[in-house]
């Protein structure tokens, strides 16, 4: 799909991340994205570093043309959250938004996870935000920053 194809390649990201409590840190988040299974799904492999704590993440993304919906499965070696999210392309914002339920293994709470990829005029930049929306309607921006492409896919 043309929207998911914008993510293909090798990317490096710098982000502000909110840790438990009001503590903020810097995170690097690099990924390589490539088509798999006859170009039906995008496999994205992330390496995340928050203050020396390394985490590996695998995300599978797809598009169902009949439903006109995107999908995302988020998996990490750090914990068993693994939320499945449905996505839509927001044409007015030139952004891809995934929403799904996430269960916090520390607090035991469940909340809505929102992954927002904002495509910029510069094809080698993608904005990314991770937000949590709670049952009372309040939101918290957990991650905010930009990916820069370092290599196109072959």
């Amino acid at each position: 799909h043309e929207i998911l194809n914008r993510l293909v390649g090798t990317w490096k990201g710098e982000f502000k991340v909110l840790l438990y409590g009001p503590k903020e840190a810097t995170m690097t988040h690099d990924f390589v994205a490539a088509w798999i299974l006859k170009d039906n799904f995008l496999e994205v492999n992330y390496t995340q570093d928050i203050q020396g704590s390394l985490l590996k993440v695998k995300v599978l993304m797809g598009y169902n043309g009949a439903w006109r919906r995107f999908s995302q499965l988020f998996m990490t070696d750090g914990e068993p959250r693994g939320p499945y999210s449905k996505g839509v392309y927001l044409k007015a914002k030139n952004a891809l938004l995934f929403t799904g339920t996430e269960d916090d293994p520390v607090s035991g709470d469940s909340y809505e996870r929102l992954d927002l990829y904002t495509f910029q005029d510069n094809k080698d930049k993608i904005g990314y935000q991770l937000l949590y929306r709670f049952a009372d309607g309040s939101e918290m921006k957990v991650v905010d920053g930009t990916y820069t492409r370092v290599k196109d896919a072959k």
Side-chain angles (χ1 to χ4, degrees), residues 66-94:
W67 293 347
R68 299 179 57 161
R69 292 271 184 214
F70 294 88
S71 59
Q72 171 180 266
L73 178 59
F74 180 92
M75 301 168 284
T76 174
D77 67 355
E79 53 194 54
R81 294 184 200 202
Y84 170 78
S85 302
K86 293 181 181 177
V88 294
Y89 177 65
L90 306 171
K91 190 173 182 177
K93 294 186 178 204
N94 195 22

Side-chain angles (χ1 to χ4, degrees), residues 75-141:
M75 301 168 284
T76 174
D77 67 355
E79 53 194 54
R81 294 184 200 202
Y84 170 78
S85 302
K86 293 181 181 177
V88 294
Y89 177 65
L90 306 171
K91 190 173 182 177
K93 294 186 178 204
N94 195 22
L96 185 56
L97 175 65
F98 290 99
T99 58
T101 301
E102 184 165 304
D103 300 305
D104 189 314
V106 175
S107 69
D109 294 335
S110 293
Y111 42 82
E112 190 173 26
R113 174 192 174 108
L114 297 95
D115 292 273
L116 181 65
Y117 297 88
T118 305
F119 302 106
Q120 302 174 9
D121 291 336
N122 179 346
K123 300 290 186 207
D124 292 330
K125 299 272 186 193
I126 298 174
Y128 174 76
Q129 292 181 335
L130 171 61
L131 300 107
Y132 292 153
R133 183 179 297 143
F134 302 97
D136 65 1
S138 65
E139 288 185 356
M140 178 174 33
K141 189 184 304 178

